[in-house]
C-alpha cells in the first residue's frame, strides 16, 4: 500500500515510500541500493520544491511590497545616524564648593566639531568622536511615531573672554588650588601671578575678569549628551507617481536627561570627570526628508531647545557647577526603514 504521494507540475514525485511491512514493524534497510537511490532522488526533488516555495514567497512578497508607497509606515522602524553643528546662548555659570560660591555671567561657548578625517568618520570604533546624532523611531500609525536617541554635542567655554562675576571666594581656596595646578594654569600663574588673586573676597557683579587658564577651563567635550524621547509626525509634501520616493516634513517635540563628561579647571585645579547625569533638556525638531525605494532616506533639519544643568562635576569632591542655556543644532542624517 503506497502512502504520501505529491503531484507537482504533473510530475510524480515520490517523497516517502512506506509499504505494509513498515506498518508491521519492518525497518528500512539503508544498504539496499534501490532504497538508497530512491532516498537520494527524493531529497533532491524535495530540495528543489523547497527552493521553489521560497522563491515564490519572495516574489509574492516583492509584489506586495511594490504595491505599497512611502506613506505606508505603520509598524515600521527607522534607524537614523547623522552629524551636527551646534550653537549656544550665553549662560550664567555658578561654581560652588567648600569656601566659595560665585557666578560668572553671560559666558559665551561654542561647539567643537571634529575635522573630517576618513580614519575617524569611516571607522565604527571611533563613532563617539564627532558630534553625532542617533535616533530610532517607531511608526504606530502611517503618520505618527515615537523616537528615542542621543544628540552628542560638544560645549566649550571660549577661553580669554572677559566676563562679570559675583559671589565669594575664600583666599585660602585659591592658595589650596595652587598646590594642584594644571600645567596650563601653572604657566599662566607664573607669568601673571596677581591675576587669579583678583577673584578673592566678595564681589557684587560689576567686576570683570578674563577667563584665562588660571581662572577657568570648562568643557563638555566628551559629551554634552542629550538623551531624548520624542513624539513626532510626518507631513507629505511631494510624492512620485509610483509612490516609492518623495519629500516630507518631519516634526518632533521631546525631552530627556543630559549626561555630561566635563573637563573642568576651577581657579587652576580640576580634572576630566567621569560621565555624570547632570540635568535635563527639552527640544523641538523640524526637518525635510527625502525618501527613496521605501527603504532609505536622507534628512536635513534643525533642532532647538533648552538645557538645564543642575549638577556638573568640576574639580572633585563636592565641588559643583550649574548653568542653563538654549541650543540650536543643524543636523544632516541618513537612515533606513525596516
Amino acid at each position: 500500500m503506497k502512502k504520501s504521494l505529491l503531484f507537482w507540475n504533473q510530475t510524480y514525485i515520490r517523497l516517502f515510500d512506506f509499504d505494509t511491512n513498515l506498518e508491521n514493524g519492518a525497518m528500512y534497510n539503508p544498504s539496499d541500493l534501490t532504497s538508497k537511490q530512491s532516498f537520494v532522488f527524493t531529497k533532491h526533488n524535495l530540495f528543489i520544491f523547497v527552493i521553489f516555495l521560497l522563491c515564490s514567497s519572495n516574489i509574492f512578497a516583492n509584489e506586495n511590497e511594490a504595491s505599497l508607497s512611502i506613506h505606508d509606515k505603520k509598524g515600521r522602524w527607522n534607524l537614523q545616524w547623522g552629524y551636527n553643528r551646534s550653537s549656544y546662548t550665553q549662560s550664567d555659570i555658578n561654581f560652588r564648593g567648600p569656601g566659595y560660591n560665585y557666578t560668572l555671567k553671560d559666558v559665551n561657548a561654542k561647539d567643537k566639531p571634529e575635522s573630517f578625517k576618513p580614519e575617524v568618520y569611516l571607522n565604527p570604533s571611533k563613532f563617539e568622536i564627532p558630534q553625532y546624532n542617533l535616533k530610532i523611531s517607531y511608526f504606530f500609525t502611517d503618520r505618527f511615531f515615537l523616537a528615542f536617541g542621543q544628540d552628542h554635542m560638544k560645549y566649550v567655554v571660549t577661553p580669554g573672554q572677559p566676563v562679570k562675576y559675583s559671589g565669594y571666594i575664600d583666599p585660602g581656596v585659591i592658595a589650596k588650588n595652587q598646590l594642584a595646578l594644571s600645567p596650563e594654569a601653572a604657566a599662566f600663574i607664573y607669568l601673571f601671578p596677581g591675576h587669579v588673586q583678583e577673584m578673592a573676597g566678595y564681589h557684587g557683579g560689576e567686576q570683570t575678569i578674563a577667563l584665562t587658564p588660571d581662572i577657568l577651563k570648562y568643557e563638555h567635550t566628551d559629551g554634552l549628551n542629550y538623551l531624548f524621547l520624542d513624539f513626532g509626525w510626518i507631513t507629505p509634501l511631494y510624492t512620485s507617481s509610483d509612490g516609492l520616493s518623495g519629500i516630507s516634513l518631519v516634526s518632533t517635540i521631546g525631552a530627556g536627561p543630559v549626561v555630561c563628561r566635563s573637563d573642568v579647571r576651577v581657579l587652576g585645579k580640576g580634572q576630566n570627570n567621569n560621565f555624570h547625569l547632570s540635568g535635563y533638556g527639552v527640544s523641538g525638531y523640524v526637518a525635510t526628508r527625502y525618501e527613496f525605494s521605501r527603504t532609505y532616506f536622507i534628512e536635513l533639519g534643525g533642532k532647538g531647545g533648552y538645557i538645564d544643568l543642575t549638577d556638573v562635576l568640576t574639580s572633585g569632591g563636592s565641588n559643583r557647577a550649574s548653568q542653563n542655556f538654549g541650543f540650536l543644532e543643524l543636523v544632516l542624517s541618513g537612515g533606513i526603514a525596516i
Side-chain angles (χ1 to χ4, degrees), residues 76-82 133-139 146-149 289 295-299 333-338:
R76 304 195 81 184
W77 292 86
N78 285 181
L79 178 62
Q80 197 167 341
W81 179 270
N133 297 71
L134 170 65
K135 182 162 65 176
I136 299 173
S137 307
Y138 176 74
F139 282 85
L146 291 175
F148 62 93
R289 173 184 291 191
T295 303
Y296 307 103
F297 61 89
I298 56 176
E299 195 170 289
S333 61
I336 183 170
I338 303 173

Side-chain angles (χ1 to χ4, degrees), residues 185-201:
F188 198 91
I189 287 177
Y190 176 78
L191 295 173
F192 306 96
H195 187 244
V196 70
Q197 300 299 331
E198 297 178 24
M199 296 287 291

Side-chain angles (χ1 to χ4, degrees), residues 10-245:
Q10 299 182 0
T11 302
Y12 176 76
I13 303 175
R14 191 165 80 180
L15 298 178
F16 301 96
D17 188 7
F18 297 105
D19 57 22
T20 55
N21 290 331
L22 183 58
E23 292 179 351
N24 295 330
M27 299 298 294
Y28 167 71
N29 182 8
S31 63
D32 182 79
L33 180 59
T34 303
S35 297
K36 283 183 178 180
Q37 291 174 341
S38 177
F39 183 66
V40 172
F41 176 77
T42 299
K43 283 176 46 177
H44 174 73
N45 286 278
L46 182 60
F47 176 75
I48 294 176
F49 182 64
V50 171
I51 294 298
F52 172 78
L53 289 178
L54 290 175
C55 291
S56 299
S57 300
N58 189 53
I59 290 171
F60 295 149
N62 288 340
E63 288 178 351
N64 185 56
E65 180 80 5
S67 67
L68 299 175
S69 77
I70 59 173
H71 305 306
D72 297 298
K73 299 180 181 297
K74 183 178 180 180
R76 304 195 81 184
W77 292 86
N78 285 181
L79 178 62
Q80 197 167 341
W81 179 270
Y83 299 101
N84 69 74
R85 287 299 308 266
S86 304
S87 59
Y88 310 100
T89 62
Q90 291 181 331
S91 174
D92 292 350
I93 308 177
N94 173 258
F95 295 90
R96 58 193 180 274
Y100 68 96
N101 189 327
Y102 67 96
T103 300
L104 302 177
K105 300 179 178 296
D106 298 329
V107 178
N108 292 308
K110 57 185 180 181
D111 66 350
K112 190 179 180 181
E114 183 74 13
S115 58
F116 182 78
K117 302 173 185 176
E119 63 270 22
V120 173
Y121 281 83
L122 303 182
N123 186 345
S125 67
K126 298 182 178 180
F127 75 93
E128 80 283 358
I129 294 178
Q131 297 178 179
Y132 66 83
N133 297 71
L134 170 65
K135 182 162 65 176
I136 299 173
S137 307
Y138 176 74
F139 282 85
F140 57 90
T141 73
D142 289 335
R143 184 178 178 187
F144 297 102
F145 62 91
L146 291 175
F148 62 93
Q150 175 187 357
D151 291 355
H152 176 74
M153 297 175 278
K154 298 179 187 290
Y155 179 99
V156 180
V157 167
T158 306
Q161 65 178 295
V163 299
K164 292 183 177 181
Y165 61 101
S166 64
Y168 172 75
I169 300 175
D170 188 321
V173 172
I174 296 175
K176 183 178 178 180
N177 284 6
Q178 290 185 356
L179 298 177
L181 290 173
S182 63
E184 60 268 38
F188 198 91
I189 287 177
Y190 176 78
L191 295 173
F192 306 96
H195 187 244
V196 70
Q197 300 299 331
E198 297 178 24
M199 296 287 291
Y202 289 94
H203 304 279
E206 298 303 320
Q207 295 86 349
T208 300
I209 194 79
L211 299 184
T212 49
D214 57 330
I215 303 299
L216 183 68
K217 175 185 178 181
Y218 189 87
E219 303 179 354
H220 310 302
T221 45
D222 280 337
L224 179 68
N225 299 297
Y226 175 40
L227 311 177
F228 60 84
L229 176 64
D230 281 358
F231 169 76
W233 59 98
I234 189 165
T235 305
L237 299 178
Y238 163 78
T239 307
S240 63
S241 57
D242 60 7
L244 298 181
S245 63

